[in-house]
Amino acid sequence: MAWDFETDPEFERQLVWMREFIDREIVPLEPILGEIPVEEWTVVKRSLQDQVKAQGLWGAFLDPKLGGPGFGQLKLALMSEIIGRCMISMTIFGVQAPDSGNMELLAHGANDAQKERWLWPNLRGEISSAFALTEPFHAGADPTVIGTTASRDGDEWVINGHKWFITNASVADFILVFAETNPEGRPHKHASVFVVPAGTPGMNIVRDIGTMSHPDTTYGRLGNHAEIRFVDCRVPADHLIGNPGDGFVLAQQRLGGGRIHHSMRWLGQAQRSLDIMCERAVSRTSHGKLLAQHQMIQDYVAQSHMEIQSARLLTFQTAWKMDKLGASAVRAELGMIKAFVSKVVLAVLDRTIQVCGALGYSTDLPVEGWYRGTRFGPIGDGPDELHKSVLARTILKRYTPVEGWPTEHIPSRRPAAEAKWAELRAAAGIT
Ligand SMILES: Cc1cc2nc3c(=O)[nH]c(=O)nc-3n(C[C@H](O)[C@H](O)[C@H](O)COP(=O)(O)OP(=O)(O)OC[C@H]3O[C@@H](n4cnc5c(N)ncnc54)[C@H](O)[C@@H]3O)c2cc1C
């Protein structure tokens, strides 16, 4: 397949607009974002979102057949990189996780009435959502084994179980809950997804969990991760998405492009971090020369640049391949880029902290906060070990075992080499 590295000029203009808009309207707010009153932010956010909508850049992750503008993954990758410069921009562009993934799930699995009720208001930014799969007492890396159950009782489903680390659950208007309905269908047809609206009796949000990113978190903050107990929590039958047992397949729908967007946002953050490293390196002197003139610092700069560029190309290629061949053709690659890029961004952030010394470690620069916020990367959305394992198994499938010596065993290859040489000599007329 032919491929090139050009972005079409019309879309390039939209990318330029995005970058200028984020740098002009959102980045300057960073030092006071935590202090802005929520009610005022809600109003300002709407006005910023309206500007994005007017540019046709809102909620760009959905395909046209699912109700979105259909930019495709490559364009979304370029957009996500710009959004990653300032993560709050996700909300302004309507691509915030976990809502974006939840909307993909609903777009694929919900019926028309369910879309009307939950998908379209979520896409318009009027309501928000969370996705509850992970549990404290079962490995989140293996969703084929869960403890939460849903059983049918007349016109209702009754949910019992325990979830945790559910992003935005304490502020969301509804939660998509992954629960076992068909134990006989293990490993992949055992679970279903239910919409549980906020405030449903029996759904108890126990707490928002303190994390590396927000150790002293206050309950009900956007971006928190909640622990939830379901005790005889009843939802009407029409709150089941798809058919009983569809949960695993539906949950996969939320992940495809999401890994590309996550990766590119991380790379946007990595590049901004490298900018901070380089500015410091050309500004500060140690032992009679600029930090930038010390070879080990040059190594940090060069290594970071090489890693970012290779990660970008790997991600772009995966996005391009997904646009051409579909998500199933790039399953292993999607895990590969997530596992690769999550390490690259943390390495670049870590080097930036190092080059900036005590200043880098302090909260006077944003890098330590980015590091704490991004450290979830190799864990969340399935740990990197799992993605690498899938990748390795995909690669290994291409190989067949051999008896005895390896194919490349030089002594074993000697007779064939001598025969080939005799053949070539004869063909060249050497006697
Ligand atoms: C910030 C953040 C937000 C999150 N948001 C959500 C959310 O909104 N909804 C939700 O449902 N979940 C969410 N999660 C949970 C996340 O999806 C899980 O943490 C992740 O899937 C790993 O599951 P676990 O934490 O139970 O780790 P475990 O499954 O217990 O794994 C622990 C470690 O064991 C190793 N391991 C596990 N399996 C394998 C394997 N097959 N091969 C090799 N090593 C392995 C890895 O080192 C892994 O890190 C979030 C997590 C974080 C950190």
Side-chain angles (χ1 to χ4, degrees):
M1 279 183 279
W3 69 317
D4 65 46
F5 291 89
E6 282 178 1
T7 314
D8 82 62
E10 176 51 30
F11 188 65
E12 187 63 48
R13 273 192 287 281
Q14 286 184 296
L15 292 177
V16 169
W17 181 88
M18 263 185 91
R19 191 175 169 123
E20 285 174 0
F21 176 75
I22 290 173
D23 283 355
R24 186 183 64 242
E25 306 292 352
I26 311 173
V27 171
L29 297 176
E30 285 175 341
I32 57 159
L33 265 178
E35 302 156 27
I36 294 175
V38 176
E39 322 74 59
E40 289 181 15
W41 172 242
T42 308
V43 179
V44 171
K45 190 173 72 176
R46 290 252 179 270
S47 121
L48 294 169
Q49 288 171 337
D50 287 344
Q51 295 177 55
V52 169
K53 286 176 186 171
Q55 292 290 324
L57 292 170
W58 172 261
F61 57 92
L62 279 182
D63 283 347
K65 62 178 185 305
L66 302 175
F71 281 157
Q73 295 303 329
L74 193 51
K75 286 183 174 172
L76 285 170
L78 290 159
M79 291 174 72
S80 302
E81 185 178 32
I82 297 173
I83 287 173
R85 291 176 51 70
C86 178
M87 293 294 181
I88 190 111
S89 315
M90 274 191 277
T91 339
I92 309 296
F93 283 80
V95 292
Q96 67 282 1
D99 291 274
S100 52
N102 296 341
M103 287 186 252
E104 292 209 43
L105 186 157
L106 290 173
H108 280 95
N111 60 35
D112 287 346
Q114 291 171 330
K115 284 181 184 168
E116 212 53 56
R117 198 159 168 197
W118 295 299
L119 172 59
W120 306 131
N122 203 179
L123 187 60
R124 289 193 296 267
E126 294 159 7
I127 59 173
S128 66
S129 59
F131 181 75
L133 188 158
T134 306
E135 304 187 353
F137 302 114
H138 293 90
D142 181 9
T144 63
V145 184
I146 55 166
T148 300
T149 58
S151 48
R152 188 72 189 248
D153 182 22
D155 283 347
E156 293 178 323
W157 288 93
V158 186
I159 303 173
N160 281 286
H162 194 174
K163 301 282 183 185
W164 84 331
F165 259 91
I166 311 310
T167 305
N168 289 348
S170 61
V171 291
D173 295 287
F174 68 90
I175 301 177
L176 294 173
V177 179
F178 191 85
E180 184 157 271
T181 47
N182 306 57
E184 72 291 348
R186 285 183 198 134
H188 297 124
K189 292 192 166 90
H190 66 123
S192 305
V193 172
F194 298 88
V195 175
V196 183
T200 302
M203 179 170 73
N204 307 316
I205 314 276
V206 179
R207 59 172 177 147
D208 276 334
I209 304 160
T211 64
M212 202 170 157
S213 184
H214 294 100
D216 305 315
T217 195
T218 44
Y219 181 82
R221 219 188 103 270
L222 194 73
N224 277 356
H225 315 286
E227 179 179 348
I228 313 174
R229 276 186 187 277
F230 293 90
V231 182
D232 292 334
C233 174
R234 289 177 174 267
V235 290
D238 65 0
H239 284 40
L240 167 72
I241 303 296
N243 295 309
D246 282 354
F248 199 89
V249 171
L250 285 171
Q252 297 276 326
Q253 301 292 348
R254 15 177 0 270
L255 298 175
R259 293 193 177 131
I260 293 175
H261 316 156
H262 255 318
S263 297
M264 290 308 297
R265 285 195 294 262
W266 286 333
L267 289 170
Q269 186 178 70
Q271 182 56 51
R272 197 167 158 204
S273 167
L274 179 56
D275 293 341
I276 293 172
M277 184 199 301
C278 291
E279 186 192 70
R280 188 70 172 166
V282 298
S283 309
R284 196 162 169 90
T285 302
S286 164
H287 293 83
K289 49 185 180 181
L290 287 170
L291 292 182
Q293 292 167 317
H294 291 276
Q295 283 194 349
M296 281 196 224
I297 304 298
Q298 292 168 356
D299 181 54
Y300 292 156
V301 171
Q303 190 66 29
S304 300
H305 180 77
M306 291 189 295
E307 286 173 3
I308 292 172
Q309 292 310 320
S310 35
R312 288 179 86 228
L313 287 175
L314 199 62
T315 312
F316 287 149
Q317 197 203 27
T318 303
W320 172 81
K321 208 167 152 187
M322 187 164 160
D323 284 341
K324 296 271 178 210
L325 304 173
S328 53
V330 290
R331 186 168 162 259
E333 278 106 323
L334 290 170
M336 169 179 74
I337 55 166
K338 187 263 181 187
F340 185 63
V341 179
S342 67
K343 295 288 189 303
V344 165
V345 60
L346 289 174
V348 175
L349 291 170
D350 189 62
R351 289 184 203 116
T352 304
I353 292 172
Q354 188 69 17
V355 171
C356 294
L359 178 65
Y361 186 70
S362 78
T363 52
D364 284 2
L365 281 183
V367 192
E368 63 79 36
W370 294 345
Y371 186 91
R372 288 185 289 107
T374 301
R375 180 58 185 85
F376 83 94
I379 301 170
D381 182 15
D384 285 358
E385 290 88 341
L386 196 64
H387 296 301
K388 287 198 269 190
S389 172
V390 171
L391 177 65
R393 280 183 275 136
T394 307
I395 294 167
L396 288 167
K397 267 189 210 149
R398 298 176 202 145
Y399 295 86
T400 42
V402 289
E403 290 285 340
W405 299 112
T407 309
E408 297 279 10
H409 185 242
I410 289 174
S412 312
R413 289 172 54 203
R414 193 168 179 88
E418 285 168 351
K420 179 54 118 183
W421 181 234
E423 180 194 318
L424 289 174
R425 284 177 82 231
I430 302 171
T431 52

